Amino acid sequence: MDPTPPFAEHTIAAVSTPFGEGAIAVLRLSGPSAIPIAADIFRSRIPVPDLPPRLQQFGRIVDGPRVLDEVLLSIHRAPSSYTGQDVVEIQSHGGILVTRRILDLLLARGATLAEPGEFTRRAFLNGKMDLTQAEAVMDLIRAQTDLALRAATEQLDGRLGRHITALRETLLAILAHVEAHIDFPDEDIDPATGAALLARLDSARAEISRLLSTADQGRILREGLRTVIFGEPNAGKSSLLNRLLGYERAIVSHLPGTTRDTLEEAVNLRGIPVLLIDTAGIRPSEDLLENAGIQRTRHALTRAALTLHIADASLPPGNANLPIGTSGKDPASADPLPSTLLVLNKCDLGIHPAWQHTPSAIRISCKTGEGFETLTQAIFNAAMQGAATPDDFLIAINARHQSCLKSAATYLDAARAALEQSLSPEFIAIELRAALTSVGEVAGRLDTEELLGEIFSTFCIGK
């Protein structure tokens, strides 16, 4: 990679705290002119160029003779900074106008307004972190639960990157062995050596499979477990939503058909972010509005990772105990649902004999709270998806990692097939190099500007 990136000649500036009024705002500068620009507008007992690194200094931001604000300023000299360049951080008062004026001063003195994620992008390009760590920055900011926060922190610390580095080293060693036979064509790969190579290939392939198995867990931690609550009218869907949330979010009424639209709320269940979706009750209806709500229920079911089928335990099973389709066709002929938990509500009113043959059903009462420990444990188990403990979530790849690793797995399978068929080592080496490239893309060992632009465009400005 070019040691002098194209951005090296310009300095960027941005407000790193959220837009709006607050107690404090933080502004950042990064680049070769960060310290001279700060020296031009900051007045204190010690001149900016003489400030010790990482020490906050009280002073004033000035625009000529006019004082704009009293601030704290710190400098972080290259390469010992977040971006690997000279960085200046200014903590000002958090008013919208004063923050804007200070930013305007920085831009007027020669800084360029930072693009989304540009500070972290510079950190990556300057070798301060690999791409998995850079992506973890936004995971950390967006984490909604303690488990998601822990997973992001582990990735930021380089846990996934270390696994990828070890995998690359394994593949490099295998490739070196194969290329040695290319350089010495008279030396065939003997059976014993071939068996050892197959074992090493299988070990690398198993590690890729293990990482790929965390993709669903990663999606849940980043996006939440999309959980649709459905059933017949008056089964207690909205009551269940309110009880899981811990407050009255949905209107509850004894009148059927009260819910006409989907209602979405996020909740933290045992460290797992869960997106709960309350839906309209499913029943035959001539009401146009109610039918529109039922269609939205069917649409929500197509996007669910988990469904909670709520039924009134005191009444015999109705149509809601049939598979609910998503195409508007007859329920019995429609597509199957994702993982579904049958939840019998109103157990405090008694259980109808027809439900006695459903031992796997979870029995609850939204009125008394009975059975909710069992229900939340079942939702947690569905989210874990085979993980033995929550710690297994701490390596959780995202969709980009998954795509790269799937490609690597395909190439390794092809390399294994070529080795088993005793094909020329050149064919094996081609597949191994492609696998190595795909694995390298996970941690950012690539030079693809388009990919980097796509990743960092999702970041906050100032990060």
Side-chain angles (χ1 to χ4, degrees), residues 12 24 150 176 223 284 425 438:
I12 55 173
I24 295 173
R150 284 180 61 197
E223 303 173 12
S438 295

Side-chain angles (χ1 to χ4, degrees), residues 231-246:
E232 292 185 317
N234 277 5
K237 299 181 296 298
S238 296
S239 296
L240 176 61
L241 175 71
N242 291 340
R243 173 67 78 159
L244 289 172
L245 291 176

Side-chain angles (χ1 to χ4, degrees), residues 47-185:
V48 170
D50 298 332
L51 285 175
R54 298 179 296 280
L55 178 68
Q56 287 188 324
Q57 176 68 32
F58 174 77
R60 294 177 172 84
I61 297 293
V62 298
D63 182 8
R66 179 188 174 196
V67 175
L68 284 183
D69 194 14
E70 293 183 336
V71 304
L72 293 174
L73 181 144
S74 60
I75 62 172
H76 307 263
R77 299 183 186 277
S80 301
S81 70
Y82 180 72
T83 64
Q85 301 175 309
D86 286 341
V87 171
V88 174
E89 292 194 354
I90 300 170
Q91 293 186 23
S92 70
H93 290 92
I96 297 175
L97 183 60
V98 67
T99 305
R100 182 70 228 183
R101 289 288 183 267
I102 295 173
L103 180 60
D104 287 343
L105 269 183
L106 299 175
L107 299 179
R109 296 305 190 275
T112 302
L113 188 63
E115 298 290 335
E118 192 168 358
F119 287 90
T120 304
R121 180 170 179 165
R122 292 188 177 201
F124 163 69
L125 292 173
N126 282 324
K128 303 297 290 186
M129 58 178 69
D130 67 26
L131 202 52
T132 66
Q133 292 172 297
E135 290 169 312
V137 172
M138 281 311 299
D139 288 342
L140 192 70
I141 292 171
R142 293 170 177 166
Q144 301 176 38
T145 67
D146 287 342
L147 190 55
L149 181 63
R150 284 180 61 197
T153 303
E154 290 281 346
Q155 187 167 317
L156 185 60
D157 189 48
R159 183 170 180 176
L160 176 58
R162 288 190 290 273
H163 281 265
I164 294 300
T165 297
L167 182 58
R168 288 188 77 254
E169 290 174 352
T170 298
L171 293 178
L172 276 171
I174 298 172
L175 179 60
H177 190 109
V178 172
E179 290 190 336
H181 286 276
I182 295 174
D183 293 335
F184 302 97

